[in-house]
């Protein structure tokens, strides 16, 4: 099942199948965040109601119809340098343990929404296609099997990064948390439909040109190890989001470097999820 949010709705919960979308009405559940928090019985009910809604009341899915499929995760935890091919590209040593950093949830934005930043804040805005993991159950000190069981679903994310701020600050939160720097979606795919998270192609395109093209098989620390590792330090809550790292091909390590500018279109694609497209907007004040 594919869960999504419709834009500009008080009760945005929706289901997607192929190129069709249907609003999903459930008592006490208005958002995907609500659905995840409501637990496994509600997830089963949502599958049944979603299948019925797609049969009876679906609309063609058009650009601009979907918002980010999470409203307010309590955490957006991220992994840096988690791809062998990205480590080779940056010349950095392979980490011995997952390198964890965070993005603030205020950076979340949806498909087709603009990526933008205050004029003069940064000149080096970069893209990073990533597999996003959404936690379904509260876990702490989870082993890898428990970590796998705790996953609600998978999505695509663009870990947009201001490289000049990232390196000047010597830590990464500000550079990666500018409003609109976490495009997410277009939907969350449940594990039964998504399949093996370590066998998915990841692609990023800028203005139609392929910049990143790799596979989650290149991950240094696989999804279950990341979730287990995080849960040994901090309780993971339903709806928490984990970005699992990016492969080779980001703009800052190209020769010459390439950065995003107003008018560009950036698409990140995770096999089994779909394409998350965003335009780069004019600077905000
Ligand atoms: Mg990243």
């Amino acid at each position: 099942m594919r869960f999504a949010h419709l834009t500009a709705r008080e009760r945005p919960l929706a289901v997607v199948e192929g190129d069709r979308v249907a609003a999903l009405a459930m008592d006490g559940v208005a958002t995907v965040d609500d659905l995840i928090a409501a637990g496994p019985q509600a997830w089963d009910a949502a599958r049944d109601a979603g299948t019925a809604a797609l049969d009876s009341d679906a609309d063609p899915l058009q650009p601009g119809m979907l918002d980010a499929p999470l409203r307010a995760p309590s955490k957006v935890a991220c992994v840096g340098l988690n791809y062998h091919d990205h480590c080779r590209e940056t010349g950095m040593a392979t980490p011995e343990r997952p390198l964890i950093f965070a993005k603030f949830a205020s950076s979340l934005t949806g498909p087709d929404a603009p990526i933008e930043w205050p004029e003069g804040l940064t000149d080096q805005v970069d893209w990073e296609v990533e597999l996003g993991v959404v936690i379904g159950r509260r876990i702490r000190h989870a082993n890898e099997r428990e970590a796998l069981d705790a996953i609600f679903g998978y999505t695509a994310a663009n870990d947009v990064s201001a490289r000049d701020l990232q390196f000047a600050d010597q830590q990464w939160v500000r550079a990666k948390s500018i409003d609109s720097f976490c495009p997410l979606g277009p939907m969350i795919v449940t594990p039964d439909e998504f399949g093996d998270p370590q066998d998915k192609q990841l692609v990023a395109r800028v203005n139609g040109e392929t910049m990143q093209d790799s596979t989650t098989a290149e991950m240094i620390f696989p999804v279950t190890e990341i979730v287990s590792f995080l849960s040994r330090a901090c309780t993971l809550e339903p709806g928490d989001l984990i970005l699992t790292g990016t492969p080779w091909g980001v703009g800052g390590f190209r020769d010459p470097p390439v950065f995003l500018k107003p008018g560009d279109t950036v698409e990140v694609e995770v096999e089994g999820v779909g394409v998350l497209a965003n335009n780069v907007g004019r600077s905000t004040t």
Side-chain angles (χ1 to χ4, degrees):
M1 188 62 72
R2 295 165 171 263
F3 294 104
H5 281 158
L6 292 163
T7 48
R9 293 220 189 180
E10 206 170 304
R11 302 179 67 84
L13 182 64
V15 286
V16 175
E17 187 176 84
D19 57 1
R20 297 179 308 134
V21 60
L24 181 54
M26 295 178 68
D27 285 344
V29 175
T31 63
V32 177
D33 310 61
D34 293 341
L35 176 63
I36 296 170
Q41 282 189 329
W43 308 345
D44 289 343
R47 281 173 191 281
D48 294 342
T51 303
L54 286 162
D55 283 345
S56 64
D57 199 17
D59 291 314
L61 185 57
Q62 308 278 5
M65 288 179 77
L66 298 183
D67 206 346
L70 287 174
R71 283 264 173 104
S74 81
K75 297 177 204 68
V76 182
C78 311
V79 187
L81 293 174
N82 194 33
Y83 279 73
H84 290 289
D85 54 13
H86 185 48
C87 285
R88 286 194 294 273
E89 156 185 74
T90 60
M92 295 185 196
T94 303
E96 293 178 10
R97 67 190 74 83
L99 170 59
I100 304 297
F101 63 96
K103 288 171 91 84
F104 294 137
S106 46
S107 62
L108 284 170
T109 196
D112 312 308
I115 296 167
E116 51 196 7
W117 56 90
E119 189 169 2
L121 182 62
T122 167
D123 298 316
Q124 297 186 357
V125 178
D126 206 344
W127 60 85
E128 296 187 355
V129 58
E130 307 214 2
L131 172 65
V133 175
V134 181
I135 297 297
R137 305 165 201 256
R138 176 177 293 170
I139 49 169
R140 188 159 179 266
H141 299 299
N143 61 32
E144 290 191 29
R145 185 188 54 74
E146 292 163 337
L148 186 65
D149 285 346
I151 293 171
F152 177 81
Y154 298 90
T155 188
N158 189 347
D159 178 17
V160 181
S161 305
R163 298 292 179 213
D164 40 5
L165 304 189
Q166 182 179 356
F167 297 120
D169 287 1
Q170 300 189 27
Q171 54 85 18
W172 302 354
V173 175
R174 184 173 70 124
K176 288 169 171 279
S177 293
I178 297 169
D179 289 356
S180 80
F181 273 29
C182 191
L184 191 75
M187 68 277 292
I188 295 170
V189 184
T190 53
D192 56 316
E193 183 167 335
F194 187 69
D196 181 0
Q198 303 311 141
D199 185 27
K200 299 295 178 188
Q201 187 182 19
L202 303 183
V203 178
R205 288 178 290 270
V206 177
N207 302 327
E209 182 182 349
T210 299
M211 297 295 198
Q212 295 182 277
D213 185 354
S214 186
T215 158
T216 54
E218 284 279 328
M219 278 190 196
I220 297 164
F221 304 103
V223 167
T224 51
E225 191 171 342
I226 293 165
V227 174
S228 171
F229 178 83
L230 267 169
S231 80
R232 291 174 197 280
C234 48
T235 302
L236 295 178
E237 301 285 355
D240 280 352
L241 173 64
I242 302 169
L243 307 191
T244 54
T246 200
W248 75 275
V250 300
F253 292 98
R254 302 181 87 88
D255 185 18
V258 178
F259 295 111
L260 297 173
K261 58 187 186 308
D264 285 349
T265 298
V266 54
E267 297 169 287
V268 298
E269 181 169 7
V270 173
E271 180 185 3
V273 175
V275 176
L276 170 65
N278 296 88
N279 292 318
V280 179
R282 295 283 155 193
S283 300
T284 57
T285 52

